[in-house]
Every structure is written in structure tokens, then in C-alpha cells.
Amino acid sequence: MKETEKEKKAKQYFGPDSDWNIRPYLAVGLIFFIVFCCCILVVCILFRFEAIKNGINIFLSIAQPIIVGLALGYLLNPVMMFFERFLLKAVDARGGKNKFRRLIRTVSSILAVLVFILIIATLLSMVIPQVSANIMSLMDNLPGQINTLIRNMNEWQFGSHEITNMIETNLMTLVEFMEDWLKNSLLPQTKDYVTSVTNGVINILVAFKNVVIGLIVSIYAMCEKENFEGQSKKIIFAILPSRAANQVIQLFHTSNIVFGGFIKGKLLDSLIIGIIAYIVLTIIKMPYGLLVSVIVGVTNIIPFFGPFIGAIPSAFLILLEDPLYAVYFVIFVFILQQVDGNIIGPKILGDSTGLSSFWVMFAILVGSGMFGVMGMLLGCPVFAVIYYLVQKTIHYFLRKKKMPVKTDVYIEATGVEPDSNRLWYGKYADDMVNK
């Protein structure tokens, strides 16, 4: 009897006396062994979670300059590409495009970092003096503003005298509490506060050092980005099968589109919103216009909840100065966010994440609960990538069953035929359930 290909391979792998039928049992045994090892790993992680978490935090603190540098390089890459295209065009006219390509990449990366530093320095030089002046003015005028607010409440007599007296009593209680806190809590704990301030200054210096090193790392990252991409693909193609490798490459490509489109678009969108807020608030002579515009622009980076987070403290500051202006500000923020959500945001961001409003809110809540502020900022694009993975997996199994992948066709479906996998519409029939 002629040997089959499987028998030949079995003799090649396991010896001349082997039987190829043993290979399925070996595969099952290998799967059980891998599952067993994974279970042990999960148990170790659960029982040693704090130690593993501390180890990850130590690693992240050490690698923070690298992480900052890679993030800055990712964000500055479009600026670098702009300078590179311009310089390559200028050099190509003289016939030295290939000769000076590496030098042009280095110069373009340095120019991108210099543009970033120039923008940050310009913004700080414009914002810090105004914000400091507004804060000092707020601290000097706070008692008088509270008294003015109480006097206005008494003059307007909105609601009832009981409500006005209650608000006045609460405000005076708050002032007394602040005075008592300053005398009994702040002064005795001056040493602790000095220690905290010292630690804060050290943390600021460490953060500044990480940013400086990160800027240098970003230059190297932008210069070597093609090499990093090629090395990553080489590792993926070497380890994974062809189909799995293609899926991983596609995942990274999609993640890049989602993250890049969301982060860069959201930064530009928030900058536009901050500028519009500053122009309008300056025209109507709103108190603390620049400070409020900065708050509105920065918090607008957070999707969905950002406008509310920025509007609440801003409205409170304006309320202390002039209650009527606070009402105007709330109306203005509402109109501005409607314009941003329906006109400016879609034009800049498009449908970069592909998530509905519910999943955006879900991603922000879960992200903020698990990772704080960074979770609020990055929760939406991260969840969009997870959503994409789940969607691709579901679509794969649906196509395998020769079923449609569009969600709309399942809304009115009441069942599926077991034999043909054809969707069933209409009443829920017992004979379909029992098939």
C-alpha cells in the first residue's frame, strides 16, 4: 500500500515506526499544556497584582522620557514631513535629493521640535501674565465679590427671603470656615505644606527634565521611523503566520488612523474653540476672559464631558464678579459647544473613531475610572481600537456562516434558520425555535 503524505511526514518527524494518527493527540496535549500555563499565569497575576503593578509603575517612571519622546515624535511627524517635502523639493532642483536625504530628515526633525518649542513659549508668554493677573485680582476681590453677590440677591429678591437668607448664611459660613482653616489648619501644618511644595517643585523639575530628554528622543524617533517600522514588520512576519501577520499589520494601520486622526484633530479643534471663546468674551467684555478661554479650550480636549468640566468652574468665577455675566457665559458655552459638536468637530475630526455617542460616553467613564485624566483623554481612541477588533472578529464568524455583516438587517430579525443560516423575520415561531 502506497504511503500518504501524512505518513511520510510522520516518519520524518517521529521516526520510521510512528503512526501519523498520533499527531492529533499531540496537538490536543499541547493545547491543554498551553491552557494550563495560561491559567497558572493568570493566578500568579491575581495573587501578585500589587507587586506586578508596582513593577510596571517603576518601569513606566524610568521609561517616561522615552514615552514622552515617542508621543512627541508621533505628534510632530506631520510638521517634520512638511519641512522634509519643502527641503527635498529645494535640493532636488540642484540634483542632490538622494545625497542629502538623511541630512534633510535630521534638519526637518530639528525644525519640527523648534516650531513646537516656539509655539509653547509663545502661548505661555501670552497666557501666564494674564492668568496670573486674573488670579491675583480674584484673590484680592473675593471678599468684596461675595458681599456684592449677597447684596444683589437681597436687591433682586428672587425666590423668597428665606432662600436669600439661607444662601447668605451659607456663604458667611464658608468665609468663617476659610478663616478658621487658615488659623487652625494651615499655619500648624506649614511644615507639611512646605514639604509638599518642595516635592511638587521636584516633580515639576523631573517633568521638565523628561520633556527636555523627550524632545531629544523625538528627534531620533522621527529620523529613524522607517527603520523602526521595518524592524517591527520583520519581527511580526518572522513570528506569526502570513495571515495573522497581515491582520496585525492591518490592526496597527487602523490604530494609527484612529489615534492620529482623533488626537491631532481634537488638539486643533480645542485650539479653535479656545480662540473663538477668547474673541467673543473679549468683545462682550466678560470678566476673566483669557483665563476662562484657556479653561474652555483645554477641557474641550476631553470628549463629551469636557465642555461641562470647563464651564462649571468658569461660570463660578464669573458669578462672583457679575451674576448676569455668568448667565450670559452659560448661554454662550452652550451655543459654542453646539457649533463645535455639529459643525467644527465633524469637519475636523470626521468619524475618526467610528463610535456612537453611547460608546463614547462609556469609554470616557471607564477610562477615567481606571486611569484618571489620561483615561479620559485616550479612552475614546483606545476603545475604538478594541471596538474595531471585536467588530472584525464578529464579521469573520458571520462571513464564515455566510450571513450578512450589516447591523441594519438584524434590527427586525426574529431568528435564524439552523440549516441555511438565513435570517427569519416576522413572529417568533415555535417551529423555528425547535429546529
Side-chain angles (χ1 to χ4, degrees):
M1 186 175 178
K2 190 176 180 180
E3 287 184 336
T4 63
E5 286 296 325
K6 291 185 176 180
E7 289 174 340
K8 291 180 180 179
K9 289 182 179 180
K11 289 182 179 181
Q12 180 183 353
Y13 291 135
F14 305 106
D17 298 329
S18 63
D19 183 5
W20 68 272
N21 288 320
I22 198 174
R23 296 188 65 191
Y25 298 101
L26 290 175
V28 173
L30 181 61
I31 293 173
F32 274 110
F33 176 75
I34 294 174
V35 171
F36 179 73
C37 292
C38 291
C39 292
I40 293 177
L41 181 62
V42 170
V43 171
C44 291
I45 292 175
L46 292 176
F47 281 96
R48 298 288 183 181
F49 181 76
E50 288 299 327
I52 295 173
K53 182 180 178 181
N54 293 334
I56 294 174
N57 290 334
I58 293 173
F59 172 77
L60 291 177
S61 63
I62 295 173
Q64 193 169 13
I66 306 296
I67 297 172
V68 172
L70 294 176
L72 288 175
Y74 182 77
L75 293 175
L76 295 177
N77 182 61
V79 183
M80 184 274 293
M81 295 296 294
F82 170 78
F83 284 116
E84 186 178 45
R85 285 193 296 268
F86 176 78
L87 294 176
L88 284 175
K89 188 181 294 185
V91 174
D92 188 40
R94 302 180 181 181
K97 181 177 180 180
N98 295 325
K99 183 177 179 180
F100 298 102
R101 181 179 291 274
R102 187 171 182 83
L103 178 61
I104 289 174
R105 169 60 62 84
T106 304
V107 173
S108 301
S109 301
I110 295 174
L111 288 176
V113 171
L114 291 177
V115 168
F116 173 76
I117 295 174
L118 180 63
I119 292 174
I120 297 298
T122 303
L123 291 176
L124 292 178
S125 63
M126 293 174 56
V127 171
I128 288 179
Q130 293 288 335
V131 172
S132 300
N134 287 340
I135 293 176
M136 294 301 296
S137 175
L138 176 64
M139 295 176 63
D140 293 337
N141 300 328
L142 184 61
Q145 290 170 351
I146 293 177
N147 292 328
T148 302
L149 179 63
I150 295 173
R151 185 171 61 253
N152 290 335
M153 290 178 180
N154 290 327
E155 291 176 355
W156 290 347
Q157 294 183 356
F158 64 89
S160 63
H161 291 287
E162 294 180 359
I163 297 177
T164 305
N165 293 333
M166 181 182 68
I167 296 175
E168 179 180 355
T169 303
N170 290 331
L171 289 175
M172 295 306 298
T173 303
L174 178 62
V175 173
E176 293 175 359
F177 170 77
M178 292 296 295
E179 294 178 352
D180 183 69
W181 177 76
L182 290 173
K183 293 179 181 178
N184 300 327
S185 298
L186 181 61
L187 296 178
Q189 297 180 4
T190 303
K191 182 179 179 180
D192 296 334
Y193 290 124
V194 170
T195 304
S196 300
V197 170
T198 304
N199 293 332
V201 172
I202 293 174
N203 292 333
I204 292 174
L205 293 176
V206 171
F208 179 75
K209 179 207 70 171
N210 291 335
V211 171
V212 172
I213 298 176
L215 289 173
I216 299 173
V217 171
S218 67
I219 295 175
Y220 284 98
M222 286 186 286
C223 290
E224 300 292 334
K225 66 172 188 174
E226 285 85 4
N227 289 334
F228 292 152
E229 182 180 0
Q231 291 170 354
S232 301
K233 289 180 179 179
K234 184 168 68 174
I235 294 172
I236 292 171
F237 292 144
I239 295 176
L240 299 176
S242 300
R243 182 174 295 180
N246 293 335
Q247 293 294 331
V248 172
I249 297 298
Q250 180 64 30
L251 172 63
F252 279 107
H253 178 69
T254 304
S255 301
N256 177 53
I257 294 175
V258 172
F259 269 88
F262 179 81
I263 295 175
K264 296 169 189 175
K266 200 61 182 175
L267 290 175
L268 179 60
D269 175 52
S270 299
L271 177 63
I272 294 174
I273 291 299
I275 293 174
I276 293 175
Y278 176 68
I279 293 174
V280 175
L281 296 181
T282 302
I283 292 174
I284 63 177
K285 297 180 180 180
M286 184 74 69
Y288 311 112
L290 182 60
L291 177 61
V292 169
S293 301
V294 171
I295 294 174
V296 170
V298 171
T299 55
N300 191 70
I301 298 175
I302 302 172
F304 196 82
F305 293 106
F308 303 101
I309 296 174
I312 292 174
S314 301
F316 178 74
L317 290 177
I318 299 172
L319 177 66
L320 296 175
E321 181 73 21
D322 192 325
L324 188 59
Y325 268 119
V327 177
Y328 294 156
F329 173 75
V330 172
I331 297 173
F332 165 71
V333 168
F334 177 78
I335 296 174
L336 180 63
Q337 293 306 323
Q338 291 299 314
V339 172
D340 178 40
N342 296 292
I343 300 175
I344 300 177
K347 288 291 184 182
I348 297 176
L349 294 173
D351 193 15
S352 59
T353 60
L355 298 177
S356 64
S357 300
F358 171 80
W359 290 118
V360 169
M361 182 175 63
F362 175 84
I364 295 171
L365 289 174
V366 174
S368 62
M370 297 180 65
F371 303 104
V373 177
M374 290 303 298
M376 297 185 73
L377 294 176
L378 301 179
C380 192
V382 169
F383 186 80
V385 174
I386 297 174
Y387 187 90
Y388 168 78
L389 281 174
V390 174
Q391 187 182 58
K392 289 282 288 184
T393 305
I394 297 299
H395 288 182
Y396 169 76
F397 286 109
L398 286 174
R399 290 191 182 99
K400 197 173 181 180
K401 293 182 176 181
K402 297 181 180 180
M403 297 179 67
V405 296
K406 291 186 178 180
T407 305
D408 297 340
V409 300
Y410 291 91
I411 295 176
E412 301 295 334
T414 57
V416 59
E417 294 184 358
D419 298 329
S420 62
N421 289 331
R422 185 173 64 89
L423 292 177
W424 177 263
Y425 297 91
K427 296 181 179 180
Y428 295 92
D430 294 335
D431 56 342
M432 291 299 301
V433 176
N434 294 327
K435 279 188 176 181

